[in-house]
Amino acid sequence: MERLFAGWGFDAIHARRLLRWYYDSSGEVDLHRPARQHHALPKALVACIEKDLPLSSTHVVRISEASDGTVKLLVSTHDGALVESVLMPDFRPDRAAGCISTQVGCAMACDFCATGLQGFSRNLSAGEIVEQFLHLKRDAKRLSRRLSTIVLMGMGEPLLNLENVVKAIGLMASDEAGHLGWRQITLSTVGLVPQLRQFVDLRLNVQLALSLHAPDDETRKRIIPMARRYRIADLLELAQEHQANTGRVTTIQYCLLEGVNDSDDHARALATLLAGRQMHVNLLTYNSTGQPYRASSPQRVDAFINILRDHRLVAHTRRSRGDQIAAACGQLTATKA
Ligand code: SF4
């Protein structure tokens, strides 16, 4: 924008002003509107912006709201691809958390995930990722909340679109643009060793969530195809390195599936695996995706978490949200029907 503005004969400083104002104001994705409202900009510059600066490339096609307050946005891209973003109200009445997609579909084919069943179409650009953030920001404002955290956990595997994801994280986090802050952003991955290596080497000061879902490679291979290529031990070493580099505690995500990974033995194996690593365990509820799995019973979940805590691990259960509108973990399919 600086180059563009200078080329039009205006002071490049206006680019920085406009961008800051644009991100801060309302999350409006239409750049023209803030330009028109930004009285500090010369009128002739506003006219140039309206004529020649490309508009945003995505728009919200549908907003679904669940009775638990979860909001799901169906977002259409310039080529008609559809992705979903989710807004979850925080327990604090003025805050909300956002979940953003990084790819159209997903190639990982995790057995318990509806997105994985769809297959992969394409990567999202950095702009398409950031625009979801802006759509969510605007929707949070509509609900009198502030979008305070983002997790890259929607459709897709972020590490397979690392270049665009890193660009988008920088824009959402930085003071000059999204103003969210680095540690308010979590990258969630199923774990691919080469790409995780690259991510760790970048030393981004963001949170890392590793979707483990099993305490041993054999169990993991049953539900995550990618586990046939990469060992849990290697993933944990890299997560540990990120933790050491950034001081951010890694979250281990573990979706409890009845009869698959939820026995006392699995819990003890997980405790042994994580002993001394100071990582936190997040136990997730399986949300129905049409696959032949069932969520573990509340008694099983309690028994599992108690074993982890007896082994001095920090473990929590995460309340499932948005199931009513297919917006919960593993349910995003971005269909118009
Ligand atoms: S769980 Fe994540 S990585 Fe696995 S298929 Fe679903 S979207 Fe892809």
Side-chain angles (χ1 to χ4, degrees), residues 103 105-117 153-158 189-190 211 213 224 330:
Q103 296 182 309
C106 185
M108 295 293 91
C110 301
D111 208 25
F112 49 87
C113 172
T115 311
L117 294 175
M153 197 195 269
M155 301 170 72
E157 164 52 61
T189 177
V190 82
S211 294
H213 306 313
I224 300 177

Side-chain angles (χ1 to χ4, degrees), residues 8 23 90 96 100 122 192 222 228 245 274 278 311 323:
W8 288 338
Y23 272 97
D90 195 277
I100 284 180
R122 69 168 174 87
L192 304 98
R222 286 175 61 192
R228 292 180 206 133
N245 288 345
L274 299 178
Q278 296 178 330
H311 286 77
D323 190 29

Side-chain angles (χ1 to χ4, degrees), residues 8-320:
W8 288 338
F10 298 98
D11 193 333
I13 191 107
H14 292 309
R16 217 160 273 268
R17 279 195 193 131
L18 176 63
L19 202 61
R20 178 71 186 270
W21 196 80
Y22 165 67
Y23 272 97
D24 276 358
S25 57
S26 63
E28 287 288 350
V29 174
D30 180 355
L31 258 179
H32 291 174
R33 194 168 155 205
R36 237 176 277 140
Q37 291 172 356
H38 197 338
H39 303 303
L41 294 183
K43 280 204 170 59
L45 173 58
V46 171
C48 288
I49 293 170
E50 294 195 353
K51 186 167 160 285
D52 287 329
L53 198 62
L55 282 170
S56 62
S57 63
T58 69
H59 65 279
V60 177
V61 177
R62 190 181 60 215
I63 299 178
S64 313
E65 299 195 37
S67 54
D68 65 8
T70 304
V71 178
K72 184 170 75 170
L73 307 183
L74 180 64
V75 177
S76 176
T77 62
H78 69 96
D79 57 355
L82 295 169
V83 292
E84 289 179 326
S85 323
V86 180
L87 187 74
M88 296 153 287
D90 195 277
F91 64 93
R92 286 165 292 194
D94 59 339
R95 308 271 173 92
C99 175
I100 284 180
S101 296
T102 54
Q103 296 182 309
V104 183
C106 185
M108 295 293 91
C110 301
D111 208 25
F112 49 87
C113 172
T115 311
L117 294 175
Q118 282 192 320
F120 169 75
S121 297
R122 69 168 174 87
N123 283 332
L124 291 178
S125 69
E128 289 166 336
I129 297 169
V130 172
E131 285 181 28
Q132 290 175 71
F133 162 71
L134 293 172
H135 290 309
L136 289 175
K137 193 171 164 183
R138 181 176 48 195
D139 219 64
K141 194 173 179 195
R142 174 179 71 84
L143 300 168
S144 305
R145 290 176 180 268
R146 180 168 69 78
L147 184 63
S148 56
T149 54
I150 282 291
V151 57
L152 299 164
M153 197 195 269
M155 301 170 72
E157 164 52 61
L159 290 186
L160 286 179
N161 186 15
L162 192 58
E163 193 182 332
N164 290 328
V165 164
V166 168
K167 235 188 257 178
I169 287 175
L171 283 165
M172 292 187 287
S174 80
D175 282 348
E176 287 186 338
H179 218 60
L180 191 62
W182 297 89
R183 67 176 170 175
Q184 313 306 328
I185 298 175
T186 301
L187 184 143
S188 171
T189 177
V190 82
L192 304 98
V193 168
Q195 289 82 356
L196 189 54
R197 172 79 267 161
Q198 282 177 38
F199 168 76
V200 171
D201 287 344
L202 290 171
R203 292 177 174 247
L204 291 186
N205 208 5
V206 297
Q207 319 271 0
L208 177 67
L210 184 59
S211 294
L212 213 57
H213 306 313
D216 60 87
D217 290 321
E218 282 316 304
T219 308
R220 198 164 189 258
K221 282 177 201 168
R222 286 175 61 192
I223 47 181
I224 300 177
M226 206 34 73
R228 292 180 206 133
R229 291 175 64 177
Y230 302 119
R231 296 181 326 136
I232 290 174
D234 296 331
L235 297 175
L236 285 179
E237 280 313 302
L238 287 166
Q240 186 88 44
E241 203 178 315
H242 179 69
Q243 193 162 293
N245 288 345
T246 60
R248 308 248 172 263
V249 171
T250 300
T251 301
I252 300 297
Q253 307 199 99
Y254 197 108
C255 180
L256 286 166
L257 302 168
E258 187 182 77
V260 177
N261 62 0
D262 67 343
S263 70
D264 288 354
D265 284 347
H266 288 122
R268 283 190 282 269
L270 184 62
T272 304
L273 185 71
L274 299 178
R277 292 193 185 271
Q278 296 178 330
M279 295 174 177
H280 292 180
V281 179
N282 219 344
L283 295 177
L284 315 179
T285 308
Y286 169 66
N287 299 297
S288 175
T289 58
Q291 290 297 87
Y293 292 109
R294 283 159 55 121
S296 303
S297 68
Q299 296 76 10
R300 190 87 293 277
V301 175
D302 284 348
F304 198 95
I305 202 166
N306 286 338
I307 291 173
L308 298 183
R309 287 176 177 165
D310 286 348
H311 286 77
R312 308 176 76 84
L313 286 186
V314 177
H316 299 283
T317 50
R318 196 172 69 200
R319 192 157 59 96
S320 180

